[in-house]
């Protein structure tokens, strides 16, 4: 997510300040010597990066929570962790490349399947009853 944040900053700086969100960003300063109200209008390159970051927040936080429990419990084979990570990288590449929604959705479906499978394994590990 940090890389995505810096990519957002790059797009704002390289465009002369387009895509800022807050009124205080229109105060004149070294980074924005000639502020304009037009800078608050949506600017697609920065909006795209923000959507990617929002997607990360929606998906990575639960993954890290479940992943930590999965790893601590020794939930099983780590290939599901590698598959999730690899598919997230592919998803980002598809998103940044601006490919069709169906491609992005297919990659996301695989990624989410990895997460759900890991959640299932973790749930089973937590609910094993020994007699």
């Amino acid at each position: 997510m940090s890389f995505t944040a810096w990519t957002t900053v790059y797009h704002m700086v390289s465009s002369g300040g387009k895509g800022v969100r807050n009124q205080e960003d229109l105060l004149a300063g070294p980074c924005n010597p000639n502020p304009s109200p037009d800078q608050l209008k949506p600017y697609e390159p920065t909006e795209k990066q923000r959507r990617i970051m929002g997607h990360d927040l929606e998906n990575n936080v639960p993954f890290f929570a479940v992943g930590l429990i999965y790893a601590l419990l020794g939930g099983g084979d780590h290939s599901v962790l590698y598959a999730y990570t690899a598919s997230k990288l592919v998803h980002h590449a598809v998103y940044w490349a601006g490919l069709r929604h169906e491609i992005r959705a297919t990659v996301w479906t695989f990624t989410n399947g990895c997460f759900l499978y890991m959640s299932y394994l973790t749930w089973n590990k937590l609910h094993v009853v020994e007699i």
Side-chain angles (χ1 to χ4, degrees):
M1 286 188 329
S2 186
F3 178 75
T4 305
W6 281 108
T7 306
T8 306
V9 170
Y10 165 78
H11 285 294
M12 287 190 296
V13 171
S14 66
S15 70
K18 292 181 182 176
V20 297
R21 281 193 165 167
N22 304 305
Q23 288 291 329
E24 58 269 20
D25 297 334
L26 297 181
L27 298 173
C31 292
N32 195 3
N34 301 311
S36 163
D38 287 344
Q39 291 173 324
L40 287 174
K41 292 180 180 174
Y43 179 59
E44 183 52 29
T46 59
E47 294 304 311
K48 184 177 193 174
Q49 296 303 316
R50 288 180 178 127
R51 287 191 301 271
I52 291 171
M53 196 175 305
H55 174 82
D56 282 349
L57 287 171
E58 292 171 354
N59 292 279
N60 290 354
V61 173
F63 167 75
F64 288 124
V66 171
L68 177 63
I69 296 168
Y70 179 83
L72 290 174
L73 290 175
D77 186 13
H78 292 300
S79 61
V80 68
L81 295 169
Y82 299 133
Y84 178 91
T85 302
S87 63
K88 282 298 287 182
L89 293 173
V90 170
H91 184 267
H92 276 285
V94 167
Y95 217 132
W96 281 324
L99 300 178
R100 289 189 343 257
H101 171 76
E102 294 84 2
I103 297 170
R104 194 173 72 241
T106 300
V107 176
W108 177 86
T109 300
F110 178 80
T111 304
N112 192 256
C114 293
F115 172 73
L116 292 173
Y117 180 62
M118 189 174 57
S119 298
Y120 169 77
L121 293 174
T122 302
W123 181 262
N124 280 344
K125 192 77 168 182
L126 285 170
H127 287 87
V128 172
V129 178
E130 294 185 30
I131 298 176

